[in-house]
Amino acid sequence: MADPTAAVPRRPAHDARSMLLFGGVYGAVVASAMVAALTFHGHESGASRRYDAAWLLVTAFASALAHGYAHYIADRGPHRRGQVLRALAAEWPLVAAMLPTVLILAGAGWGWWPADGVEYPAFTLNVTLLFVLGLLSARWAGRRWTIALATGVGDALLGLFVVVANAIIK
């Protein structure tokens, strides 16, 4: 009797594409939530926006470290030297997805554009990023364009949820 698992080639649980998509989606949602929370607390001056940018950057790295370490300890097998560093480094998409929002906030803090209302371009950027990541994930999985567009819209709805929640809370 043949081994049924031998016929199916195993894909790594955390391949590069899945890590890119996971980190991108997670980073965009966290960035939107952070901007909403910081704006709710009256952070609308230039100095406040620089502070917000710094906190968003700290949150990005803390989230990446926590996720990388969680992946490392979740793998219960024997660990090789340097594996924890590779697990941490694999979380770069999460940080990269948050960097544009950091730049938007920092730019407002440096006077490149008005600090008041900068959350709306940040939300727009993150919702667009979520749409693109959803579309890409579906296309990479071989889905038809209609399904890929619907997936993109579904992912964008995650970001819109944060925007709507922010509007309701204000």
Side-chain angles (χ1 to χ4, degrees), residues 3-163:
D3 182 15
T5 59
V8 179
R10 268 193 85 204
R11 231 175 110 195
H14 303 293
D15 64 354
R17 282 186 177 176
S18 67
M19 293 300 290
L20 174 71
L21 297 169
F22 170 80
V25 168
Y26 191 83
V29 171
V30 169
S32 291
M34 286 286 296
V35 169
L38 293 168
T39 300
F40 174 73
H41 290 290
H43 291 210
E44 295 183 357
S45 69
S48 294
R49 292 305 183 177
R50 286 190 305 274
Y51 175 83
D52 294 349
W55 266 112
L56 189 57
L57 197 57
V58 167
T59 301
F61 282 106
S63 297
L65 288 172
H67 278 248
Y69 186 66
H71 285 295
Y72 174 76
I73 62 172
D75 181 16
R76 298 203 183 262
H79 296 286
R80 294 184 307 267
R81 181 180 299 185
Q83 193 171 356
V84 68
L85 295 176
R86 283 190 293 280
L88 296 174
E91 297 296 326
W92 71 265
L94 191 154
V95 175
M98 295 175 80
L99 288 179
T101 305
V102 169
L103 185 62
I104 288 173
L105 293 173
W110 294 323
W112 294 351
W113 41 77
D116 186 25
V118 77
E119 67 270 16
Y120 300 110
F123 290 149
T124 301
L125 172 86
N126 288 314
V127 169
T128 302
L129 180 60
L130 287 166
F131 172 78
V132 169
L133 289 171
L135 180 76
L136 281 175
S137 69
R139 291 300 297 160
W140 285 343
R143 305 290 191 269
R144 294 187 324 262
W145 275 103
T146 53
I147 300 299
L149 288 170
T151 303
V153 168
D155 279 8
L157 287 174
L158 287 171
L160 288 175
F161 174 77
V162 173
V163 173

